[in-house]
Structure formats: structure tokens, C-alpha cells
Amino acid sequence: NPLATSAMVFVSTVGTHGVGWALLALLAATTGGRRGRRAAAEMLPALLLTNTFVEQVVKRYFRRRRPFVANARALVVGRQTASWSFPSGHSAVSFACASVLGRSYPEHRAALYSAATLIAFSRVYLGHHYPIDVLTGATLGEGSGRAVAWSVRRLRCARRSGELLPGG
């Protein structure tokens, strides 16, 4: 379906390296007051660390070929990326960001996770990943998002209490 394919290309493009999520964090930081700034301060490190970990460590370890490389008859839409397939970086980053933003904005949690799920699905729909790639990416993203956000909160609390000051 050309309309669905165009929509999936758009969704996938927005999810590339978390660009859409970074724009959302910028919007939250500039219009959301203290809560928005706190959400962005937790989300951006989660985005960067998750993306780096998945793309530079995990993919290089597993070195799984993409569906269109492993099977010459597999359909693929868009540019055929040269990176490895497992796990999906789009999915990992999207779920890391949805996890962090969902904590700060519980009233939007369903929409955030729906967006992350749509980005993950787009990767399979477009032929760039196997379903297990996006499921694993989502799981890694959820865990890393929570861990990084927790670390940022702990650092902020330690800084406020003076524990990070010299001699503190």
C-alpha cells in the first residue's frame, strides 16, 4: 500500500538516531517549565547512551545481517543501510525515550509508547529488521532508559545535598 509505505518511511525517518525524540525533548524543555527541563535532562542522556551502546557495542558483537542481505528476495523500502540488524537501534532509542518521558508525563505515557511501537513496527514493515530485532531493541531501550534516568536523578539529588562537593 503506497500510503502506508509513505507513512512508515516518515515514521522511521523521525525515529532515526532519536531525532524526533530529541525535538520532543527540546519542546518539553522550552515550554514545559521545570518538569519539561527535568524530563529533557533525563531523556537526552538516555537517548545518547542507548544509541551509542546499541550501535557501537551490541550490533558489533552480534553482527547479524539485515533481512535484505540474508535473503536476496526480501523486500526493502528505502536506503539499504550497511550496519548490522540486531538489535534495532530505532526501537532501543524510542523505548528508552518513551520510558523516560512517560515517567515525567504519565498522562501521555500511552501516546509515547504508541509512538515508540509504531517506530519499531516501521522497521519491520520496511524490511530493515526482523521482528526479534525490534523486540530486543525495545527491551534494551526500556531498561537503559530507566537506568540512565535513575542515574541522572541520583546525580541531581547528590548535587543538591552537597554530596558531590569537594569534601562533601
Side-chain angles (χ1 to χ4, degrees):
N1 180 330
L3 183 60
T5 299
S6 294
M8 291 295 116
V9 167
F10 174 77
V11 167
S12 183
T13 301
V14 167
T16 302
H17 299 297
V19 170
W21 295 102
L23 292 174
L24 190 58
L26 181 63
L27 179 67
T30 57
T31 64
R34 185 177 180 192
R35 177 168 77 154
R37 289 187 300 275
R38 184 177 54 236
E42 292 175 4
M43 196 208 77
L44 290 174
L47 184 159
L48 293 171
L49 290 171
T50 301
N51 189 57
T52 301
F53 178 68
V54 168
E55 296 295 331
Q56 302 301 320
V57 177
V58 182
K59 283 190 178 201
R60 289 181 181 187
Y61 178 79
F62 285 101
R63 299 170 54 110
R64 182 178 188 180
R65 291 185 191 168
R66 291 191 179 266
F68 56 82
V69 174
N71 180 358
R73 291 181 294 179
L75 297 176
V76 64
V77 176
R79 187 174 68 88
Q80 296 183 1
T81 53
S83 67
W84 302 104
S85 179
F86 183 85
S88 166
H90 281 72
S91 301
V93 167
S94 293
F95 276 85
C97 294
S99 170
V100 174
L101 288 177
R103 181 186 175 279
S104 294
Y105 293 96
E107 68 276 18
H108 299 296
R109 189 174 289 140
L112 293 164
Y113 276 103
S114 294
T117 301
L118 189 58
I119 290 169
F121 174 75
S122 75
R123 304 304 291 158
V124 175
Y125 180 93
L126 297 173
H128 291 269
H129 285 285
Y130 297 101
I132 193 69
D133 298 344
V134 297
L135 290 172
T136 303
T139 303
L140 282 171
E142 181 72 23
S144 68
R146 288 175 185 249
V148 172
W150 179 84
S151 299
V152 170
R153 285 190 302 274
R154 293 288 299 152
L155 285 170
R156 191 172 35 244
C157 289
R159 189 186 73 211
R160 262 188 305 208
S161 69
E163 293 175 30
L164 291 181
L165 296 175

